[in-house]
Amino acid sequence: MERSTIVRVHEGLHARPATRFVKLAKAFESDVELVKDGKAVSAKSSVKLMLLAVKENQEVTVRANGADAIEAIEALIGYLENPKAGLDDEETHAPDHGKEAAPAPAPRSAPALSDEASSGLRGVAASEGVAIGPAFVHLPPDIAGQGRMLQADEIAGEIDRFHAAVAAVQARMDRALAQDSLSAGDRGIVAALRDIAADDSLTGEAEKAIRGGNDAVSATITAASTIAADFSAVDDHYLNARADDVHAVGRQISLVLLGQDDASLENIPQGAILIADDIGAWDLARAPLKRIGGVVCGHGGATSHIAIIARSHGIPAVLGLGDRIHLLRKAQEVALDGNSGQVIIDPDAATRADFAGRVEAAAKERAGLAAFKTVTPKLADGKVIEVAANIGSLEEIEAAQEAGAMGVGLFRTELLFMRHMHLPSEDMQAETYAALAKAFAPYPVIVRTLDIGGDKPIAGIEFPDEENPFLGWRGIRMCLDRPDIFKRQLRALLRAAVHGNIKVMLPMVSDLGEVRQTRVLVDECAAELKAEGVPHATFDLGVMIETPAAVLIAPALAKEVAFFSIGTNDLTQYIMAADRLNPTVAKLNDVTNPAVMSAIELTAKAGVAAGIMVGMCGEAAGRPDLIPAFLEMGLTELSMSPASIQRAKKTITAMAAGE
Ligand code: PEP
Ligand code: MG
């Protein structure tokens, strides 16, 4: 028997709803299927259900065959029509998942240390400060099967071994879920991974491969790849991203089969130096940052997002070591200098003493700077220079306030978009921006509209494949092409402006038309909110100056906007034609190059002549050696990582005193 209905599950049968549906279906003896567009799948497999890609408001049929078919159909149709009914608290609050939370470790077969390694490697100096501490090596090994065919009499044992590994992975995930300390976000991730591990699709595929004579690790890798390919092929951006989850689960099962341990950033000991090839910005942002003594990475450059997070938390970092990162696989202790880019593996006694001394001196300097927290820096003529913070999440408000930030000069909204599996709603954006505005009022909070591109795609936006994502569809270009996304953010900002001093700036501007089109959208949003009776307020609109085009049209731009904020990270890469993430051209990526400094000066002149505020939010804004030059050019606002704020205030104060 069967019955059809319209699906009312918000966002469709994605991961968690699919799991709930399966849980309900499994409670019945009957065979149950869900049918969409003529395609029927078992309602007892969450992977198969997800692959059916059932969306909200689509019509589906529930088909059941067995003794309790009537009850099964009633319960499942009931869930599809009213998904919130009858769920316990944990289920209603468990968010859907994102990416693998806890990638695996670990050393094996490190290349012999070269002379360079023992005397010190050099990478990109990405976050200042020195550190020395135990190495925490976070280099997941490549997993490979045995690559031999099983004998017929080995197959049954191998299947048992496989099932034992699956059970061990599930038990580990259940233990993680039982911990009270798990955040809601992480709980959702682990729960979703556990569901995949428990699903017959993955285990069934793997078992089939073992019966065909493959060893369990090879079979697991093959099964995960097959199912991941199915997820990649669905016409749904969110489901495409689930391919990573399937690989993550396959990886966990394989590690157990190989008898290898898994490590997670969660377990990093106090003061340890994190060694990794690459870390997702979001993985790093939610790692226990307070415990991390330093970061050394194969990937990344001085203005990569890993560097930015490290700087905002005052964690010394050396990035861009490339393949040489593998020289650190067996390191016990690591010393690094985030000012020079030097990394020393297992330092000798003299080096250790030298670093320990420098760490202590840095701590003293920090203590000396603390007096500047409450200082309002002024130039000799009494003009106040606003020293503000660059942040990317509400979690960083405290660090910024602790440092003495006079507002926020750059709120990067990307993390807000990256940390959710769907585009954040207008309400949740409005709440976030309002919380920020309230935290710093009456100081201004400059929110940058979404600056995302093909180099770091997010769920919910289809990015084309691009040869040069940094020259492609990013920032304001993408936003203007997607008014549905852009207007949601602008409406949220207009609503938040009621709660404090919100200003808005546009990234990657290269043409006057981009500002004008944005204004039309802002006016449209304000009119809509008015018609809806929703409280809102206007905000100052400014632009980032970070493309050579913006520098060259700065006089015209200055007539149309309330302020400039110079983004030296991108401006340097575009003026110098040197990729900011490419360590090979790191030397050219130098803000002090006369070409970049004159671009900054041209911008300042245009802004000052038009009487608008000129600030800077690129990383150069926090450099004590450059601050005097920027202030002489006429900048009145400098926004930087919280860790740099007190030193910048000291520099300005000394400059005013003629020191
Ligand atoms: C810049 O480009 O200088 C900037 C501040 O923005 P982001 O580093 O986020 O590109
Ligand atoms: Mg930029």
Side-chain angles (χ1 to χ4, degrees):
M1 64 178 302
E2 61 182 48
R3 219 171 98 196
S4 300
T5 191
I6 302 293
V7 175
R8 298 296 179 208
V9 181
H10 183 53
E11 312 269 15
L13 284 187
H14 278 140
R16 297 300 292 157
T19 309
R20 284 171 210 140
F21 193 79
V22 167
K23 204 166 150 190
L24 276 176
K26 281 189 171 166
F28 299 98
E29 257 175 43
S30 300
D31 289 334
V32 192
E33 286 182 331
L34 190 69
V35 191
K36 189 192 97 176
D37 298 335
K39 188 171 175 210
V41 300
S42 165
K44 296 186 179 179
S45 158
S46 57
V47 167
K48 291 201 175 91
L49 270 185
M50 278 195 273
L51 285 170
L52 199 58
V54 175
K55 307 232 162 74
E56 189 175 2
N57 297 326
Q58 279 183 337
E59 185 176 352
V60 294
T61 302
V62 178
R63 188 183 285 160
N65 194 357
D68 50 8
I70 297 176
E71 292 86 346
I73 287 182
E74 196 154 304
L76 294 169
I77 291 279
Y79 174 74
L80 294 174
E81 291 177 350
N82 185 9
K84 290 239 163 74
L87 290 178
D88 60 31
D89 217 37
E90 188 258 321
E91 282 179 312
T92 33
H93 290 297
D96 280 345
H97 61 161
K99 291 175 71 180
E100 180 182 11
R108 30 240 39 106
S109 69
L113 297 191
S114 66
D115 286 350
E116 189 200 14
S118 43
S119 63
L121 297 165
R122 208 164 275 276
V124 176
S127 175
E128 65 175 41
V130 284
I132 181 164
F136 184 82
V137 181
H138 187 72
L139 293 167
D142 285 338
I143 290 177
Q146 295 168 357
R148 74 175 178 96
M149 292 311 276
L150 299 174
Q151 304 294 326
D153 61 353
E154 291 175 300
I155 288 178
E158 194 68 347
I159 289 178
D160 287 347
R161 219 165 69 76
F162 169 73
H163 283 296
V166 172
V169 168
Q170 282 178 282
R172 185 188 296 167
M173 291 172 173
D174 283 337
R175 276 199 303 280
L177 287 170
Q179 283 169 23
D180 285 346
S181 55
L182 208 64
S183 73
D186 288 348
R187 186 176 298 280
I189 292 168
V190 178
L193 293 173
R194 184 202 48 192
D195 295 340
I196 290 171
D199 198 273
D200 296 347
S201 303
L202 182 64
T203 50
E205 277 290 328
E207 215 180 295
K208 206 163 80 192
I210 299 173
R211 285 190 200 288
N214 293 286
D215 65 88
V217 175
S218 306
T220 305
I221 296 169
T222 309
S225 300
T226 308
I227 294 169
D230 288 344
F231 275 108
S232 300
V234 183
D235 184 18
D236 179 308
H237 196 80
Y238 169 74
L239 285 175
N240 298 157
R242 301 288 62 77
D244 287 347
D245 292 348
V246 176
H247 280 304
V249 170
R251 177 179 184 82
Q252 299 294 317
I253 298 170
S254 301
L255 282 170
V256 173
L257 284 164
L258 290 166
Q260 293 174 3
D261 249 352
D262 200 5
S264 108
L265 291 182
E266 290 295 308
N267 303 326
I268 192 161
Q270 182 66 40
I273 310 298
L274 172 60
I275 316 290
D277 189 27
D278 195 9
I279 317 167
W282 174 228
D283 283 333
L284 184 61
R286 65 197 168 143
L289 291 165
K290 284 207 164 76
R291 294 212 295 271
I292 299 179
V295 175
V296 180
C297 270
H299 280 71
T303 51
S304 65
H305 284 96
I306 302 177
I308 288 165
I309 292 172
R311 275 196 294 269
S312 80
H313 292 270
I315 303 171
V318 176
L319 308 179
L321 281 178
D323 283 346
R324 292 172 305 156
I325 192 71
H326 295 285
L327 294 169
L328 282 91
R329 272 191 184 279
K330 287 196 166 160
Q332 298 291 314
E333 190 181 35
V334 172
L336 70 125
D337 181 342
N339 305 22
S340 69
Q342 188 187 29
V343 177
I344 298 172
I345 302 167
D346 295 327
D348 58 23
T351 313
R352 187 182 293 148
D354 173 43
F355 269 81
R358 288 160 69 191
V359 169
E360 202 185 314
K364 263 202 198 125
E365 194 212 353
R366 269 200 306 278
L369 285 173
F372 288 90
K373 174 179 169 180
T374 51
V375 165
T376 300
K378 291 186 185 120
L379 295 184
D381 62 4
K383 194 195 292 166
V384 171
I385 303 298
E386 226 158 295
V387 180
N390 289 353
I391 60 175
S393 64
L394 297 184
E395 288 90 326
E396 291 162 73
I397 290 176
E398 201 187 318
Q401 289 179 330
E402 274 302 302
M406 300 157 72
V408 171
L410 167 62
F411 183 72
R412 291 184 167 93
T413 52
E414 294 77 67
L415 267 189
L416 189 62
F417 282 71
M418 284 159 77
R419 65 204 281 183
H420 294 283
M421 77 169 185
H422 298 295
L423 294 169
S425 67
E426 178 185 317
D427 283 352
M428 107 72 109
Q429 287 189 64
E431 272 170 35
T432 305
Y433 307 143
L436 194 64
K438 281 183 202 160
F440 288 95
Y443 285 126
V445 162
I446 303 182
V447 179
R448 176 175 74 186
T449 57
L450 184 59
D451 183 14
I452 207 117
D455 59 322
K456 41 177 157 43
I458 50 175
I461 306 177
E462 289 279 344
F463 283 89
D465 281 340
E466 295 179 310
E467 288 274 326
N468 295 300
F470 271 124
L471 301 179
W473 198 56
R474 58 173 294 198
I476 188 68
R477 304 164 182 188
M478 185 278 286
C479 284
L480 286 170
D481 286 345
R482 290 291 305 266
D484 53 330
I485 296 168
F486 197 22
K487 279 182 72 177
R488 202 189 286 186
Q489 185 169 41
L490 294 172
R491 280 173 57 104
L493 287 163
L494 286 162
R495 286 168 56 184
V498 174
H499 301 282
N501 189 356
I502 292 255
K503 299 181 186 212
V504 175
M505 74 178 166
L506 310 177
M508 286 297 294
V509 166
S510 54
D511 184 78
L512 268 181
E514 290 161 341
V515 176
R516 292 182 183 151
Q517 282 180 62
T518 302
R519 275 211 193 283
V520 171
L521 290 178
V522 173
D523 291 347
E524 246 175 66
C525 291
E528 283 168 17
L529 289 168
K530 190 169 173 210
E532 293 161 22
V534 178
H536 62 284
T538 51
F539 48 66
D540 278 354
L541 185 66
V543 287
M544 290 196 67
I545 302 289
E546 54 181 347
T547 67
V551 174
L552 296 172
I553 59 164
L557 273 173
K559 292 200 185 107
E560 308 238 354
V561 297
F563 63 93
F564 285 164
S565 185
I566 303 171
T568 50
N569 307 341
D570 276 318
L571 187 60
T572 307
Q573 80 161 341
Y574 294 129
I575 292 273
M576 300 303 296
D579 184 343
R580 65 193 260 187
L581 300 181
N582 183 345
T584 325
V585 292
K587 235 197 250 163
L588 277 175
N589 215 293
D590 176 9
V591 70
T592 65
N593 186 291
V596 186
M597 289 301 275
S598 65
I600 296 171
E601 192 164 15
L602 277 175
T603 306
K605 258 194 195 140
V608 171
I612 64 169
M613 183 198 93
V614 183
M616 178 181 284
C617 61
E619 293 301 314
R623 282 181 52 170
D625 56 332
L626 299 179
I627 287 174
F630 296 149
L631 299 184
E632 269 155 28
M633 290 177 192
L635 272 64
T636 55
E637 184 244 25
L638 298 168
S639 189
M640 59 199 69
S641 306
S644 304
I645 286 177
Q646 289 167 5
R647 195 177 310 120
K649 285 186 172 184
K650 181 180 176 187
T651 307
I652 301 164
T653 309
M655 185 182 159
E659 288 166 20

